[in-house]
Amino acid sequence: MTTVTDRPGYAAPAPAPGTEAGVLDLRSVNAYYRTFRAVRDVSLSLRPRAITALIGPSGCGKSTILRVINRMHETIPGARVEGSVVLDGVDLYRRDVSAVRVRRTIGMVFQKPNPFPAMSIFENVASGMRLAGEKKSSVLDGRVEASLRRAALWDEVKDKLRQPGTSLSGGQQQRLCIARSIAVEPEVILMDEPCSALDPVSTLRIEELMVELRQDYTIVIVTHNMQQAGRVSDVTAFFSMGDDRAGYLVESGPTSRIFSAPTEKLTEDYVSGRFG
Amino acid sequence: MDDRLRRLTRSGGRLLSADALFRRSTLVAVLAAGALLVLLFAVLVAQSWPIWADRGIVPFLTTPTWAPNYVDPVTGATSVQIGALPMIVGTVLSSIIGLVVAGPLGVLVAVFLVEYSPRRLAIGLTFLVELIAAIPSVVIGIWGLYVFSIFSRDTFQWWIASTIGRVIPFCAEDPANPTRFSVFTAGMVLAVMIVPMVVAVSREVIRSVPLSLREGHTGMGATRWETIRHVVLPTARIGILGGVMLAFGRALGETIAVTMVIGNVDQVPTSVFQPGQSIASKIATNLGDVTDQVELAGLLGLGVVLLVVSVGLSVIVRLLARRLGGAYVAS
Ligand SMILES: Nc1ncnc2c1ncn2[C@@H]1O[C@H](COP(=O)(O)OP(=O)(O)O)[C@@H](O)[C@H]1O
Ligand SMILES: [Mg+2]
């Protein structure tokens, strides 16, 4: 498992006895694009071995929150974050924590499948391990196969590992991207509308895969699809936008409760499709 | 085709639509350009026919001397020795030097412009590069002759020749020729001339690599440079290669600046630090006052060689672009 600090010999503190790794805490997170505040004061706890769905109207900052979690937000010029994101007791925004390491511990799957066109299927999956310095081909071979199996793609690609990743269908490409992100053994996987570019059958397969991966990871998905949130997530967090267009957390809780008995009127309107 | 169908598909069969008119006129223009090229080629071949017919393609391309009235130093017998080899070698060597210098340099500058440079600096640098492209070749030739060649001779030329030059072919210095005129200087002049082209093409191609690919890699824990090396450049490589090859084509045909610095000696250089001759400079300097019919045919034969190589090169670039995915290839 990778640690998130650059300090030699420093390892992320082991989770306290009885707790699991992969506990993620957002504490008073504000995210800005230059002077525009896109996310206002979000505090949210994410459970390991569970799928948390972030839902809410378009533009309410769901993608931004996801990118704050693995420190991708700061790659945009002028973007900054206030507050803290704590993974297993380590504040990911602490001075001595390296963003590069954070991204190895917290993987990301994007809206549009983005396999690297100049790399083969094998190299796509191996790319993260190579970045982490893995050179032994026996290790690479083993982990590539394991990751592809895990992503339910192995049987479809095992005979064409040398072909470009872009030769696959959209759904296969997205599963390749999932394989690529789990190959580096992260603790958390973030998925930003991973099915919005896919057909219903591929969507279903990805959903099955998410449920299957839940056993080992803390999973956060952004979705526009209420049915999808209902089908796969354990916890749902509903976001909305204030008058200043800053996104904020309206409420969060077990998915069944959010969908059947939300405490907020706003949430009820949204999940029942009266607002969107 | 059924008449009814024809009426439906072709503006009722009466007038040409604006679209069709435009399509036809562009087609005519393309055909005219193609015809011109074929005609040019045919005229060149016809005019240089004696060279191909009497001397043969292979002897013409491989004879290392250019002497219409060659006197054998041993026997004293005279003969016609007209060979393109000195010019071919001079052209290829100087262009390769230009490419070896301008290719990596241009790609690095493009990477810096797109990936690292602050906006202001990028605008300034881009302007500078465009400025270099605007310098007339004669002026670059003057720079080569009066600035670069002297600097090179007095500083690193000797160092290159006596160290790495011993292992790299054509790089050892010939002590008998301490001249400023050399294939090397020609190559450096070419490098200056083609670097803007390499930068311009590479910059566009690198810029067109989608953000989603970069983020996919950065999101896995790659540093900026790792993403450039493992994703951006490999994704852009076909386009960059195309740009570099087009620049190479430009270098092959460049005339005036090369003529000014290469030395115009019709010999096959054994070292790039020797004077030599290029195809274009040979034609340009000799065509005006040639009297010998065979020599004239030889000069036009050189033109055929240059034309074939240049056109061949751009055809290869097009094919490359088409075969290996046009998405990231500059048009
Ligand atoms: N790169 C950016 N630069 C400036 N503003 C941005 C950028 N990306 C997103 N935003 C703004 O931040 C807000 C939240 O966007 P986003 O997180 O993408 O919302 P969602 O994913 O919920 O649709 C929107 O108002 C959007 O316009
Ligand atoms: Mg979004």
Side-chain angles (χ1 to χ4, degrees):
Chain A
M1 196 180 293
T2 41
T3 64
V4 291
T5 59
D6 263 337
R7 221 184 259 165
Y10 182 95
T19 59
E20 297 166 292
V23 179
L24 199 57
D25 258 316
L26 278 69
R27 298 182 185 159
S28 311
V29 168
N30 287 279
Y32 298 82
Y33 294 99
R34 299 194 193 278
T35 55
F36 171 61
R37 175 152 72 169
V39 169
R40 193 214 308 149
D41 202 28
V42 169
S43 294
L44 182 65
S45 219
L46 300 161
R47 286 204 342 251
R49 293 164 208 266
I51 298 177
T52 302
L54 311 186
I55 62 169
S58 179
C60 71
K62 306 179 297 292
S63 300
T64 304
I65 290 173
L66 222 53
R67 295 168 59 98
V68 165
I69 293 174
N70 74 341
R71 294 193 57 178
M72 281 297 281
H73 183 63
E74 67 205 53
T75 60
I76 294 168
R80 76 201 155 75
V81 177
E82 284 168 3
S84 52
V85 177
V86 179
L87 175 65
D88 300 335
V90 179
D91 179 2
L92 302 181
Y93 282 87
R94 211 169 72 185
R95 258 285 177 61
D96 60 341
V97 170
S98 116
V100 167
R101 297 285 183 94
V102 169
R103 294 173 201 143
R104 275 181 210 160
T105 315
I106 306 179
M108 190 160 207
V109 176
F110 297 78
Q111 187 165 355
K112 195 170 150 267
N114 56 354
F116 307 128
M119 291 185 199
S120 66
I121 292 170
F122 182 93
E123 282 305 324
N124 262 283
V125 182
S127 55
M129 288 179 266
R130 289 202 197 277
L131 285 173
E134 186 57 69
K135 291 194 180 70
K136 277 222 219 78
S137 69
S138 58
V139 176
L140 289 171
D141 288 351
R143 289 255 290 273
V144 166
E145 175 171 347
S147 307
L148 284 168
R149 280 191 190 280
R150 204 71 221 280
L153 191 59
W154 176 253
D155 290 332
E156 290 156 67
V157 301
K158 62 174 189 283
D159 299 321
K160 46 178 181 178
L161 291 173
R162 302 287 152 202
Q163 285 179 26
T166 41
S167 65
L168 300 172
S169 74
Q172 289 174 322
Q173 288 189 14
Q174 197 61 303
R175 276 180 280 148
L176 179 64
C177 292
I178 293 173
R180 186 171 77 184
S181 67
I182 59 182
V184 290
E185 301 181 343
E187 291 179 27
V188 181
I189 302 175
L190 311 172
M191 302 188 179
D192 193 349
E193 303 188 32
C195 303
S196 65
L198 305 180
D199 60 88
V201 175
S202 307
T203 299
L204 221 57
R205 300 205 61 175
I206 302 274
E207 286 179 8
E208 284 166 14
L209 181 55
M210 285 189 230
V211 172
E212 147 77 23
L213 292 172
R214 170 170 55 184
Q215 301 168 2
D216 299 304
Y217 304 95
T218 306
I219 297 180
V220 188
I221 65 164
V222 169
T223 180
H224 259 124
N225 182 332
M226 289 304 112
Q227 285 82 17
Q228 182 170 66
R231 278 194 300 265
V232 301
S233 73
D234 305 289
V235 177
T236 296
F238 172 64
F239 293 83
S240 186
M241 250 185 299
D243 293 334
D244 55 353
R245 284 173 54 232
Y248 65 96
L249 178 65
V250 178
E251 67 177 309
S252 69
T255 299
S256 51
R257 184 184 69 73
I258 294 289
F259 277 83
S260 59
T263 38
E264 302 290 328
K265 177 85 170 57
L266 221 51
T267 315
E268 191 182 336
D269 287 349
Y270 187 78
V271 297
S272 62
R274 256 173 281 162
F275 172 81
Chain B
M1 201 194 296
D2 170 34
D3 211 44
R4 226 167 5 162
L5 199 59
R6 178 171 298 142
R7 263 207 301 280
L8 279 172
T9 51
R10 313 189 88 189
S11 325
R14 292 185 312 265
L15 277 167
L16 281 173
S17 69
D19 241 14
L21 202 67
F22 181 73
R23 213 164 33 236
R24 286 200 183 181
S25 44
T26 47
L27 185 69
V28 169
V30 168
L31 286 180
L36 208 65
L37 189 66
V38 171
L39 195 69
L40 178 68
F41 183 74
V43 168
L44 270 179
V45 170
Q47 298 285 312
S48 59
W49 193 248
I51 281 294
W52 311 114
D54 303 348
R55 316 207 68 78
I57 295 177
V58 174
F60 177 59
L61 295 180
T62 54
T63 301
T65 38
W66 186 281
N69 308 299
Y70 183 77
V71 184
D72 192 301
V74 182
T75 62
T78 60
S79 62
V80 183
Q81 293 281 327
I82 289 197
L85 195 62
M87 297 79 193
I88 292 174
V89 173
T91 303
V92 169
L93 274 185
S94 58
S95 299
I96 286 177
I97 291 169
L99 205 64
V100 164
V101 174
L105 183 69
V107 174
L108 276 179
V109 170
V111 166
F112 177 75
L113 284 175
V114 179
E115 306 285 341
Y116 289 103
S117 165
R119 247 180 70 82
R120 283 276 189 74
L121 184 60
I123 292 171
L125 266 176
T126 305
F127 181 67
L128 199 77
V129 172
E130 279 164 7
L131 218 60
I132 295 175
I135 301 175
S137 20
V138 170
V139 177
I140 297 181
I142 294 174
W143 169 83
L145 197 52
Y146 290 103
V147 182
F148 177 78
S149 66
I150 296 171
F151 173 73
S152 142
R153 182 195 56 191
D154 296 348
T155 55
F156 60 89
Q157 186 165 319
W158 175 85
W159 182 83
I160 292 179
S162 59
T163 55
I164 51 176
R166 297 189 175 191
V167 276
I168 305 171
F170 291 108
C171 283
E173 187 151 19
D174 184 344
N177 278 304
T179 166
R180 281 151 59 209
F181 298 100
S182 69
V183 176
F184 178 66
T185 305
M188 295 306 286
V189 161
L190 288 173
V192 174
M193 299 183 65
I194 64 178
V195 101
M197 196 167 183
V198 177
V199 173
V201 174
S202 307
R203 197 189 55 201
E204 287 319 306
V205 178
I206 289 171
R207 199 179 270 161
S208 74
V209 174
L211 182 65
S212 66
L213 294 181
R214 300 162 194 264
E215 292 205 318
H217 206 241
T218 325
M220 272 187 331
T223 61
R224 192 111 191 227
W225 169 241
E226 283 169 335
T227 298
I228 292 169
R229 221 190 100 193
H230 298 300
V231 173
V232 176
L233 289 179
T235 305
R237 69 182 191 278
I238 307 299
I240 292 175
L241 189 70
V244 166
M245 282 172 75
L246 286 180
F248 188 64
R250 165 101 204 281
L252 288 176
E254 170 54 31
T255 311
I256 184 67
V258 171
T259 307
M260 291 166 74
V261 298
I262 201 168
N264 306 102
V265 178
D266 303 334
Q267 63 175 3
V268 177
T270 53
S271 159
V272 295
F273 300 115
Q274 284 178 1
Q277 184 68 287
S278 83
I279 295 177
S281 67
K282 177 70 184 171
I283 298 173
T285 44
N286 287 38
L287 199 60
D289 47 34
V290 64
T291 47
D292 186 301
Q293 282 311 303
V294 183
E295 190 174 5
L296 176 63
L299 289 174
L300 296 172
L302 286 176
V304 172
V305 173
L306 191 57
L307 185 65
V308 167
V309 173
S310 304
V311 171
L313 203 63
S314 53
V315 167
I316 290 173
V317 172
R318 294 283 144 209
L319 290 181
L320 254 181
R322 189 172 317 165
R323 264 201 45 188
L324 295 157
Y328 308 115
V329 178
S331 53

